[in-house]
Amino acid sequence: VLKLPKKMKKILKNLWNVGKEDPRRVIHAMKVGVALTLVSLLYLMEPFFKGVVKNALWAVMTVVVVLEFSAGATLRKGLNRGLGTLIAGSLAFFIEWVAIHSGKVLGGIFIGTSVFIIGSTITFMRFIPYIKKNYDYGMLVFLLTFNLITVSSYRVDTVIKIAHARLYTIGIGIGICLVMSLLVFPIWSGDDLHKSTFTKLQGLSRCIEACVHEYFEDKEKDQESSDSESDDEDLIYKGYKTVLDSKSADEALAMFAKWELRNTRLCHKFPSQQYIKVGSVLRKFSYTVVALHGCLQTEIQTPRSIRILFKDPCVRLAGEICKVLSELSENIKNRRQCSPEILSDSLEAALKDLNSTIKSQPKLFLGSNLHSNITNKHLNGDVSHYNDTNSHDIVSYHNDNNSNGCVLGQTVEQNDTVSPLPLNSVVSLSSLRSVKKSAATGEKRRLRKQLSKIAVMKSLEFSEALPFAAFASLLMEMVARLDTVIDEVKELGTIACFKEYDKTVEVRVEKPVNLVVGD
Amino acid sequence: VLKLPKKMKKILKNLWNVGKEDPRRVIHAMKVGVALTLVSLLYLMEPFFKGVVKNALWAVMTVVVVLEFSAGATLRKGLNRGLGTLIAGSLAFFIEWVAIHSGKVLGGIFIGTSVFIIGSTITFMRFIPYIKKNYDYGMLVFLLTFNLITVSSYRVDTVIKIAHARLYTIGIGIGICLVMSLLVFPIWSGDDLHKSTFTKLQGLSRCIEACVHEYFEDKEKDQESSDSESDDEDLIYKGYKTVLDSKSADEALAMFAKWELRNTRLCHKFPSQQYIKVGSVLRKFSYTVVALHGCLQTEIQTPRSIRILFKDPCVRLAGEICKVLSELSENIKNRRQCSPEILSDSLEAALKDLNSTIKSQPKLFLGSNLHSNITNKHLNGDVSHYNDTNSHDIVSYHNDNNSNGCVLGQTVEQNDTVSPLPLNSVVSLSSLRSVKKSAATGEKRRLRKQLSKIAVMKSLEFSEALPFAAFASLLMEMVARLDTVIDEVKELGTIACFKEYDKTVEVRVEKPVNLVVGD
């Protein structure tokens, strides 16, 4: 007995959340209630509409079925229902006419056959993608009406009268639906599509930010606040998942928006197709984000000590990408065209910066063999005894090569570090020395349980910077794809007649764009 | 006038294709036709079912609305309709009883209020995700029936009789639907889900194959047969798109399959949830495939001459991955559990092979500066004049460094190539020398039109092998994720009570697994 109030409380909380998520749902529910009450009044007013009331159930049915959440969806269903009923009625009348003129038995057979043929044909036609997308409900109504009229009229012999009354009541139902959905707190699918587009852009921006943040975060900090990491994970996952899963929802919204014959201020038509295009470009963009996220979860991790070397340029480049995305989002939100120099010089500078940093650290991409090489040499402290160590190196390397049995063009390298700034050099070398340790302990902790079975992966010694190379090249790929996103958003701005770009309007970006990582 | 037959022909061809794609659609259409004809017979048999005929329209309606493509969907809709009608009828009866006992005016107000409240509440409840997923149609039917009965009964005063007749006819309708969907050529959602799962695995395998094929294909060949390349592109795109887009379709199938209370040979329940899990793991896997495909389309391309160096180990590794995927697909298809050694030694060997090949070519990851370095040295032919070139190099590099202005630990390298096999060395060096040329011409051709705007990208000289590093590390990541796929498929085999693994049964893989690239 005590459990019941608890369960009730849970259900009520659930309902409350549904309403809080989108308050328009409450409005829509009220609208349906009012519409149904209005239709019910038809019965009470029987004296005024004598013929109608008998068929008033069709009005109720219409309201229940046609009144949808958004104006576009209601219009679409109303038109489908109206057309379906009209065409089905005409066809049923024709068949009825033929049946009456061919005698009782023959007429019965004729009606039976036509019911079978029309039923099969319409059902089959509903599988055609174009019809399924646009007229599925109309087909259903057609089938329903046709069967009801044909079969019942065979008895009643008053097709026209029935059809007339039915159309009349359905008309009343559709009328109430239209008033409710177009005039009383209308909900436009076009607005939802617009909102979903700029929300996705913002989400992607935050997602990239979180990705880069986590990639360069200090290991120690992670353990202290594992909550915040899983929060980050959640943010990243949600960010691109929303974009990837948006396809069908966006297409439905665009389809409904097509029916909303509403002018957007200056333009003639709502550019739903262009929103779809932006969505699909964004989905392609987010594939890169997914791959970037994969770099965080991957089996073969670049040690944090190496990552830290590239932190600043990577964070800077990611910050620039996020800035562009946020700017695009803000522009769409405020229906403004975007600045022609949205791909700014600072993005270019950030790219070049990352480039030169990678070039200045070529050693890192040579594999762990080489790290130990470097470290050994410096431990010996013998930079001047060059030729000695050199010849020794060659010999030892040859042996290695043979045992590995590599076939392709074999190259042997010597490496040496002579730095103009001894302090800097020491810093980078000590960090290199710590690589092996942190890699050994860090990797074990990182491995997810189900992955630990692949002993293969652990036993291999890939160049430890190779995964970072993937990370960096994904960031650059992102810049390339960003361009297609910008193109489509600009196109959207033109087609949708957004406000002209105004230099004096400062773009207000909600979050600080310069990433602060691990500070 | 001449156009009409052409259009008709096109429509007919369209219909034909829809049927050819899935012949069960034709069967389903025929089934609907037969069911409708059967229901129509009710009218003809009026003498036998006196009370029923008046409400026969409810039977027609039920057949039209409830008879769905698969058995599970029909059962679900039938139950929703039945329950919705029953509960709505009871509630309407109660409200009617209260209204009658409270006088004409008060009763009218009471009914109006309850119509409004119930209409709003039910509409609002349909937004709750759980109800939307499972009982959306039931809610609609509830609302419809409640309104029809309440409102009309206020006049007719014969609720119980109406409700009785209506339930009776709906029962007849549902009965016909059940016979048609469960006994006459039944179509099971569970089978569709099963088929979709192994088809996706196969598609991914082919997709990876095509990706690697295209990545290592000779450039010259591409231009000759650009058709075959766009075919490849199409295959790749479709392969992962099917997997990525499968979410909602699979979830619908799984939901319908839940209603199909059919025993799969030995098991008690169809493991639809596990199929969903396999689907979601496959989707995660395919993100890597998408990223791999991104490597083919990326802006910064590794020259073919460098790629060719890694062709064999990459092709071998990809071949092993494809082999595992095909094997999993075949196992699911034949409802067999998979071999415990599905992650074979040859996969491990392929991984190690790629590893050692990458290690044997560390020069490639040093950027184009270094390539020219190496080439220059060899053109001078002076390996013995070591210290001279060395000191010269350091000076020039310092200047570079300063102008680039990099901040992090600066390292200066000398590089030298002493090969035990002069012939091999010459081959690899000449290929390196050709890098610059082919990169310059190849990249221009590669750049898609809309991308050419980013002049930044082209002006940068990233290490040319960096994008290849991304390619290789994605292949390795794929192996890691493959493991989670295998886990879920094994779990599926256990839950679904597939046949035990039998060593004597040879797994027949449809396509030759060893990739043949460019031969």
Side-chain angles (χ1 to χ4, degrees), chain A residues 182-198:
Chain A
L182 295 179
L183 302 181
V184 185
F185 296 109
I187 296 164
W188 303 105
S189 288
D191 289 348
D192 281 0
L193 188 58
H194 182 80
K195 196 181 161 198
S196 125
T197 304
F198 69 71

Side-chain angles (χ1 to χ4, degrees), chain A residues 43 151 287 298 309 348 355 359 361 363 386 408 412-414 416 450-451 456 461-462 476-477 483, chain B residues 43 151 298 309 348 355 359 363 386 408-409 412-414 416 450 456 461-462 476-477 480 483:
Chain A
Y43 281 88
V151 168
Y287 289 154
T298 184
L309 297 176
E348 189 177 335
N355 181 35
K359 271 191 177 171
Q361 300 276 355
K363 290 284 179 311
Y386 204 84
L408 294 162
V412 180
E413 72 287 317
Q414 309 159 262
D416 200 31
Q450 78 271 32
L451 279 174
V456 197
E461 282 188 339
F462 287 107
M476 295 171 202
E477 173 73 15
D483 197 47
Chain B
Y43 282 88
V151 168
T298 183
L309 297 175
E348 189 177 333
N355 182 35
K359 271 193 176 168
K363 288 284 178 310
Y386 206 83
L408 295 162
V412 179
E413 72 288 318
Q414 311 158 261
D416 198 28
Q450 77 272 32
V456 197
E461 281 190 340
F462 286 108
M476 296 172 203
E477 173 74 15
D483 197 46

Side-chain angles (χ1 to χ4, degrees), chain A residues 468-480:
Chain A
F468 171 75
F471 186 83
S473 96
L474 280 170
L475 272 181
M476 295 171 202
E477 173 73 15
M478 220 172 250
V479 178

